[in-house]
Amino acid sequence: MPILSVENLSKSYGRIQALKNVSFSVPEGSVYGILGPNGSGKTTMLGTIMDILKPTSGGYKLFDEDPSEIHRRKIGTLLETPNFYHYLSGEKNLEIAAEIKQHGKDDIPKVLEMVDLTKRRDSKFSTYSLGMKQRLAIASCLLGNPRVLVFDEPTNGLDPVGIAEIRSLMKNLYSEGKTIIMASHLLDEVEKVCTHVAILRKGELIASGNVNEILSNEDMVEVGAKDESRLMELLRDMPKISRVAKDGGMVKIFFPVGTADLESVNNYCFSKGIILNHLLLKKKSLEARFFELTNN
Ligand code: ADP
Ligand code: MG
C-alpha cells in the first residue's frame, strides 16, 4: 500500500504554475526525496499534501484513502522552523508542543533520546547550536509516534557536523520503519539518505523511482545471446566498461556515464564470435541531466 500517491497534481499561484500535472507514489518504509533546484515546487508539493495549500487540479491519497485529518495525525511534519521559546528548556518546549498537538507527554523522554538531546534537555533553547535546534524540531515531529514524517530541507543552514547528525538521525528513523518524505535541493543528500526520489524541475516531474536506478551515474546496455555464460565471460574482458551483471534474466553491461555505445558492444561481441539476439540502451544517466537542468 502506498503511503502517499500524488495523482496529476497541479497548483498555480495566479499566473505562476508551481506544479504541473505531477504524479508519483511513496511506498511504505521508504525515504522519499523530492529533489529539485530552488523554485521547482518542492515546498508547494509538501504544503499541498499537508493541506496548507489547495491543489488547482488533480489530487492525492494518503494511506490509499481520500485524505482527512485522521490520516494527517499519523504524519509528523517539519515544514517551517517551529517557534520555540528561547528562555525555556528543550524539554519544556516539547511539553508545550505536546499540549498544542494534543499528544500526551509520555513520549518526551523517548523522542529526546532519539534525537540525542537527553543530556541537554534542561538547557535553555537559546543555548542550543543550530543543529540541536533542528533536532529539537524533529523531536517535536516525533511526538505521538507518527508512522510518516515530512521534512522540508531539513539540513538547510546547518554546519557539516549538524548536517551529518540530521542525516544519521534520518537513517535511524528509516531503520525503525518510518516512512520519510523530504524535500531537498541537494543531489548528494538524496543519494546519501533516500531510497526513492522524485525529481522536479519548474513544477514538472522529470523522473521518479528507486534512487539507485534514477541517480545512477552509469549507463547501461542490456544484451542477450544464445550462449549466455560465454557472453558474460567475453564481456568481462571488454575494455572501458565498469562492470557486467546478470539481473532479472538479462545480461547488463555498465559503462561510465556518457560512454555507452551500442555499435562498439555489437562489434566487440561479433569479433569474438558471438551473435547478439538482444541489444538495448536501457537508460542514460539522469544525474548528468539533473546537473544540466539545475545549472540553468
Ligand atoms: P521550492 O520549494 O522547490 O524552492 P516553491 O514550491 O517554494 O519551490 O515555489 C515554486 C514556485 O512557486 C516558485 O516559482 C515560487 O516563486 C512560486 N511560489 C511559491 N509560493 C508562492 C506564493 N505564495 N505566491 C506566489 N508564488 C509562489
Ligand atoms: Mg522550498
Side-chain angles (χ1 to χ4, degrees), residues 55-72:
T56 308
S57 64
Y60 61 95
K61 288 195 163 156
L62 293 174
F63 308 101
D64 221 17
E65 290 174 12
D66 288 330
S68 73
E69 276 318 302
I70 297 166
H71 299 117
R72 288 201 188 83

Side-chain angles (χ1 to χ4, degrees), residues 43 88 100 110 130 134 152 281:
T43 299
L88 296 178
I100 291 170
K110 184 177 181 233
L130 277 179
Q134 185 68 341
D152 194 0
L281 182 60

Side-chain angles (χ1 to χ4, degrees), residues 38-39 41-44 152-153 183:
N38 286 332
K42 304 181 297 294
T43 299
T44 302
D152 194 0
E153 310 252 10

